[in-house]
Amino acid sequence: MNTAERLIESTRELLWDRGYTATSPKAILQRAGVGQGSMYHHFTGKADLALAAIRCSAEEVKEEAEQRLSSSGTSLDRIASYSAGASDVLRGCPVGRLTADPEIVDDDRMRQPVEETFAWLQQRLTAVLSEGQEGKDEGDALDPADTAAAILAVVQGGYVLARASGSAASFDQAVNGLLSMLNRLAA
């Protein structure tokens, strides 16, 4: 990785773990193993670097979701694959966690990639559900857009429940309940 990439990656990890306010430029520089001049050579400041990191995290979340939602199987199989979440649910979603940070939510530029990521996820889930209805993988009792919003809410809420309880079992229970409902409605 070059210096700019190390700075972005370090910022991504710190934002995910600490949030924007608790992520200092000093911590970023230490984690990246670079000097202060390097940060300001590549970025205008902490906010500019954070925006690059948020965009990078957003792209990673979309790429992982696309991989799961494009896998083989029925639409419900693909929804189940997406809903399984990351391997470390206790860390939460690297984009979803940013919504709890007032400085990110209050800044239109930093909030934009977060908002766009969730809009993209909802549209992609809607498309998968619509494909399932066309292919008769599922019944047409469910509105694809509303169901996609519910799936996204359950997955993101599952991360919150897991973090609150300190146990991935809370995430698993939320997702299993969602999938059970979807399977029953599809039958």
Side-chain angles (χ1 to χ4, degrees):
M1 277 194 270
N2 65 36
T3 302
E5 291 168 337
R6 286 199 323 262
L7 286 164
I8 290 170
E9 185 59 30
S10 296
T11 304
R12 284 182 63 214
E13 290 295 320
L14 290 166
L15 288 174
W16 195 0
D17 290 338
R18 301 179 182 181
Y20 183 80
T21 304
T23 297
S24 69
K26 182 178 179 180
I28 294 168
L29 297 171
Q30 286 177 336
R31 188 175 193 124
V34 300
Q36 183 174 357
S38 296
M39 180 173 152
Y40 294 102
H41 174 74
H42 295 284
F43 303 95
T44 59
K46 177 183 167 183
D48 188 40
L49 176 54
L51 179 58
I54 293 166
R55 286 180 176 150
C56 189
S57 290
E59 284 307 310
E60 184 177 271
V61 165
K62 289 191 290 190
E63 286 172 11
E64 182 178 321
E66 182 59 36
Q67 182 179 18
R68 291 171 183 252
L69 292 170
S70 296
S71 61
S72 61
T74 67
S75 61
L76 292 178
D77 292 337
R78 294 183 290 153
I79 296 292
S81 176
Y82 164 75
S83 300
S87 59
D88 187 3
V89 298
L90 294 179
R91 282 188 83 191
C93 171
V95 174
R97 288 213 33 205
L98 298 173
T99 63
D101 196 316
E103 289 199 47
I104 290 175
V105 173
D106 292 340
D107 183 303
D108 291 341
R109 279 182 14 140
M110 285 196 275
R111 188 184 67 248
Q112 183 181 6
V114 174
E115 186 178 355
E116 288 171 355
T117 300
F118 287 124
W120 180 89
L121 285 167
Q122 188 169 346
Q123 289 170 350
R124 189 64 183 97
L125 289 163
T126 299
V128 170
L129 291 163
S130 294
E131 290 168 19
Q133 285 182 344
E134 290 168 12
K136 303 298 181 204
D137 291 345
E138 60 189 71
D140 30 351
L142 298 176
D143 177 82
D146 290 347
T147 305
I151 292 166
L152 189 54
V154 168
V155 170
Q156 290 299 313
Y159 286 126
V160 171
L161 293 173
R163 288 184 53 77
S165 68
S167 170
S170 298
F171 178 89
D172 295 339
Q173 185 177 27
V175 168
N176 289 339
L178 168 73
L179 295 175
S180 176
M181 286 189 290
L182 290 175
N183 283 316
R184 285 188 182 176
L185 288 169

